């Protein structure tokens, strides 16, 4: 499957992180904070902007960009192939 081969797309990663952060903040830390939902929305909007800039300028890599050894599934697959090849040569 594409997710196993390439990992999550950057927009999926950002949505997952943002949604998780928002819900954790609202359910665990928002007691006693005035307008907590609006403040959380501002933080999430800032996160999306920063994430987009980091992704656009390629400051960090969130996908393997067609490199077959970046995702964990691809690494395991490559190791399995190497083991099979070494068994055949013995």
């Amino acid at each position: 499957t594409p997710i196993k081969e390439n990992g999550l797309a950057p927009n999926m990663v950002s949505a997952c992180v943002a949604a998780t952060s928002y819900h954790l903040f609202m359910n665990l830390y928002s007691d006693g904070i005035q307008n907590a939902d609006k403040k959380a929305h501002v933080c999430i909007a800032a996160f999306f902007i920063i994430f987009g800039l980091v992704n656009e300028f390629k400051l960090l890599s969130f996908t393997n960009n067609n490199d077959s050894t970046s995702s964990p599934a691809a690494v395991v697959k490559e190791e399995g192939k190497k083991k099979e090849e070494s068994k055949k040569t013995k």
Side-chain angles (χ1 to χ4, degrees):
T1 62
I3 291 177
K4 284 184 181 178
E5 293 171 6
N6 300 323
L8 289 174
N11 57 350
M12 296 162 81
V13 172
S14 66
C16 183
V17 169
T20 302
S21 300
Y22 176 80
H23 287 288
L24 286 173
F25 174 75
M26 292 304 296
N27 290 317
L28 299 176
Y29 305 113
S30 65
D31 295 339
I33 297 176
Q34 293 179 348
N35 299 324
D37 59 335
K38 291 181 182 178
K39 291 177 182 178
H41 285 137
V42 169
C43 291
I44 296 302
F47 168 76
F48 280 127
I49 291 168
I50 292 168
F51 190 92
L53 290 171
V54 166
N55 192 36
E56 182 64 29
F57 293 114
K58 306 211 183 326
L59 300 174
L60 295 172
S61 177
F62 297 104
T63 61
N64 65 5
N65 298 326
N66 297 326
D67 178 13
S68 64
T69 60
S70 293
S71 73
V75 171
V76 170
K77 210 180 272 187
E78 285 293 321
E79 288 175 356
K81 288 180 183 177
K82 288 179 184 176
K83 285 181 183 178
E84 288 178 15
E85 289 174 3
S86 67
K87 287 180 182 177
K88 289 179 182 177
T89 58
K90 288 183 179 180

